[in-house]
Amino acid sequence: MLDRDGFRPNVGIILLNQKNQVFWGKRIRTHSWQFPQGGIDRGETPEQAMFRELHEEVGLLPNHVRVVARTRDWLRYEVPGRYIRRDARGHYKGQKQIWYLLQLVGHDWDLNLRATNHPEFDAWRWNDYWVPLDVVVEFKRGVYEMALTELARFLPRHEQRNRYLRSGMRTREGEHAGTMFRTGSMLINPGMELPPGASFDPDPQNSVPGELDGLPAVTTPR
C-alpha cells in the first residue's frame, strides 16, 4: 500500500523503561540495531498498527505500556535503489512513519522476542535515550534524529539530556559516541527472551542494513 508519492505508511516505536532508557533491538542474524517498526496494513489506523507490531516484534500487549506521545506528522525516508527489487523501482520510494513514545508499565520479563513464529530480533538491551546514530543504517538516521528530538519534550523531567546523537561527539568517559555502550554499562537483562540458538551481541559496530521493515520489495532478508 503506497501513497501517490511512492511512500509506504509505517509506524516506529520508542519504548521507555522507568529510567528513560529505550529498547534497542538487534535484527535477527545481523549486526544491525534499531527501534521496532513495521508497515500499516490496509484498514488499520497507525495506533492499531503500532500495537500489532509491538506484540509481533517484542511480545508486549497494550496493558504492558502507556502511550506517552506520537509525532505530529509523517516522517519520511527514501530507500536507496540498491535495496529495492527492479520491478518496484520507479514507483516505490521509501517509508513515511508515525512514531510513538511508549512507557513500559509492565516488567522486563514481559518482553518476548519469540511471540510469533517469525522473530524480528535475536537480542535486545536498554540504551540511553539519545542513541548513537552511527550505528543506525545511514538512510534512517535523519528520521531517527527527528523522532527522538520531537518526542524528547515528553520525557519525564528526571531524564538526563546527554545527547550522543552524532559521531565525533565524546561521552563523559572519553569514549567515542560511535560505541554502542560504555565499559561496564552494558545491560543484559536476565528476563529477556531469545530465539533458539541466539546469543547477545554487545558490539553493534559495522552495522549493516539487516532489515527494511514494510518494504514491498527488497534485496535483503527482512
Side-chain angles (χ1 to χ4, degrees), residues 55-68:
H55 180 257
E56 291 177 0
E57 298 206 356
V58 299
L60 296 180
L61 299 173
N63 61 290
H64 291 137
V65 299
R66 177 175 65 89
V67 179
V68 178

Side-chain angles (χ1 to χ4, degrees), residues 1-96:
M1 182 176 67
L2 303 177
D3 67 14
R4 60 185 178 183
D5 296 318
F7 290 87
R8 185 182 178 190
N10 192 282
V11 291
I13 300 170
I14 300 173
L15 176 66
L16 300 171
N17 66 10
Q18 297 303 315
K19 297 179 180 178
N20 282 350
Q21 296 170 318
V22 294
F23 175 93
W24 200 227
K26 186 175 81 66
R27 299 300 304 183
I28 192 166
R29 294 185 295 274
T30 77
H31 290 283
S32 181
W33 291 73
Q34 67 166 67
F35 294 130
Q37 71 171 68
I40 300 174
D41 292 339
R42 188 176 300 277
E44 279 187 321
T45 65
E47 185 169 298
Q48 289 171 335
M50 179 271 292
F51 280 121
R52 176 178 53 77
E53 290 291 337
L54 183 69
H55 180 257
E56 291 177 0
E57 298 206 356
V58 299
L60 296 180
L61 299 173
N63 61 290
H64 291 137
V65 299
R66 177 175 65 89
V67 179
V68 178
R70 52 159 280 182
T71 54
R72 182 179 305 174
D73 297 312
W74 296 101
L75 303 180
R76 292 172 171 80
Y77 64 82
E78 295 188 12
V79 176
R82 65 183 179 275
Y83 298 120
I84 305 174
R85 274 207 322 248
R86 292 181 181 179
D87 58 359
R89 294 175 185 173
H91 59 271
Y92 175 79
K93 292 185 66 176
Q95 309 264 21
K96 65 177 185 180

